[in-house]
Amino acid sequence: MRILLTNDDGIHADGLVALEKIAAALSDDVWVCAPEYEQSGASRALTLAEPIRVRQVAERKFSTTGTPTDCVMLGIHELVAGKRPDLVLSGVNRGANLAEDVTMSGTVAGAIEGMALGVPAVALSQQGFYEPGTSFEAAETFAPGIIRRLVETGWPNDVVININFPARPVAEITEVEVTRQGFRDVHVRHAEKRTDLRGKDYYWIGFRQTPSKPAEGTDLRAIYEGRISVTPLHIDLTHMATVHDLKGRLGGPPPKA
């Protein structure tokens, strides 16, 4: 396979080093195109109002001033010489990408751009890093076998695979669960107000580590209980039950005020 790697934590991220190890276990034809700077939370942002600069870091390895979406687009169309990639891997993200967070994740967005350009794509994230000693060991240990099985099995062209690894010792991780996307019953994002050295207020946005009570079969529940979560995602956000309900209420001539 020819594999293109990207991430949202940046070209110098430890998670990209882990992803290179994972890809090396699958192929010797590996290319990298990742953001020069961290782009966490960038989602599917596309750089339109300013130029994107590309820097060649090493053979088959590039960084750009753009987003993960920019990187995958440039990688596939411009930077990978010869034939197109057979697979896009995005990650390994420093922290999980679960539930509603996937709509903001630059890691997942990198995989979505690969899918949109006709290349099968997988997003990988490692839970943890809020406690000392957390590493990418779980992802490095289990990702090659899972990806190899996925490639052998295949999945629909309009689907990306979102893999999350729990923050547990490798010996304690004994199961993979194919899950659905969950939704938290608590709000974990918050803005902390701070003051700089000139007395000016500013805000730092982050996440509270508050557990929710997820349903069985969800990505959240699997990670909470120490299982590797594999979630097929697609970009169609249409809620069909509401479509059918509104057809009978709003279809036809537009209502007048």
Side-chain angles (χ1 to χ4, degrees):
M1 289 186 294
R2 169 165 283 191
I3 305 176
L4 174 63
L5 310 184
T6 195
N7 71 356
D8 71 355
D9 288 327
I11 192 71
H12 302 294
D14 292 341
L16 185 59
V17 175
L19 190 63
E20 289 176 300
K21 293 177 183 177
I22 291 165
L26 300 167
S27 174
D28 60 2
D29 189 2
V30 177
W31 296 68
V32 177
C33 187
E36 185 71 40
Y37 313 106
E38 183 175 348
Q39 297 276 356
S40 295
S43 187
R44 294 205 68 212
L46 189 68
T47 302
L48 298 174
E50 58 187 45
I52 299 173
R53 309 292 181 183
V54 177
R55 179 172 67 93
Q56 182 158 4
V57 178
E59 184 181 4
R60 298 188 296 187
K61 188 170 186 177
F62 302 87
S63 69
T64 86
T65 57
T67 65
T69 296
D70 297 328
C71 289
V72 173
M73 183 187 67
L74 289 172
I76 292 175
H77 285 322
E78 300 289 337
L79 301 176
V80 175
K83 73 183 186 77
R84 288 160 54 91
D86 302 299
L87 180 68
V88 169
L89 300 180
S90 184
V92 177
N93 191 68
R94 189 175 185 270
N97 277 302
L98 303 164
E100 65 273 20
D101 295 346
V102 303
T103 61
M104 296 180 291
S105 167
T107 301
V108 174
I112 290 174
E113 184 66 9
M115 176 273 291
L117 296 177
V119 180
V122 179
L124 303 96
S125 301
Q126 174 67 64
Q127 183 197 30
F129 300 99
Y130 295 98
E131 298 180 4
T134 304
S135 72
F136 292 97
E137 184 180 9
E140 291 177 11
T141 301
F142 296 111
I146 293 172
I147 294 169
R148 189 175 288 112
R149 179 70 61 84
L150 285 167
V151 170
E152 291 170 353
T153 304
W155 62 89
N157 293 337
D158 60 347
V159 168
V160 300
I161 303 296
N162 185 38
I163 306 177
N164 282 273
F165 298 91
R168 296 200 180 189
V170 167
E172 295 180 10
I173 302 173
T174 60
E175 188 175 347
V176 177
E177 182 179 357
V178 178
T179 59
R180 68 182 186 276
Q181 181 185 349
F183 196 88
R184 292 182 180 85
D185 55 5
V186 294
H187 188 72
V188 296
R189 295 182 299 281
H190 71 112
E192 182 177 287
K193 187 176 182 180
R194 300 179 180 181
T195 305
D196 66 23
L197 296 179
R198 296 187 175 186
K200 301 294 186 180
D201 292 337
Y202 68 97
Y203 293 88
W204 198 286
I205 295 175
F207 294 83
R208 296 185 181 94
Q209 298 308 300
T210 306
S212 60
K213 298 176 182 177
E216 291 280 355
T218 60
D219 49 7
L220 285 166
R221 185 67 171 266
I223 288 297
Y224 283 178
E225 296 180 353
R227 296 185 291 276
I228 299 168
S229 170
V230 178
T231 312
L233 300 173
H234 62 101
I235 201 169
D236 182 358
L237 303 179
T238 308
H239 188 254
M240 290 307 301
T242 304
V243 169
H244 296 314
D245 180 60
L246 287 177
K247 277 182 179 292
R249 301 169 184 264
L250 195 58
K256 297 180 180 179

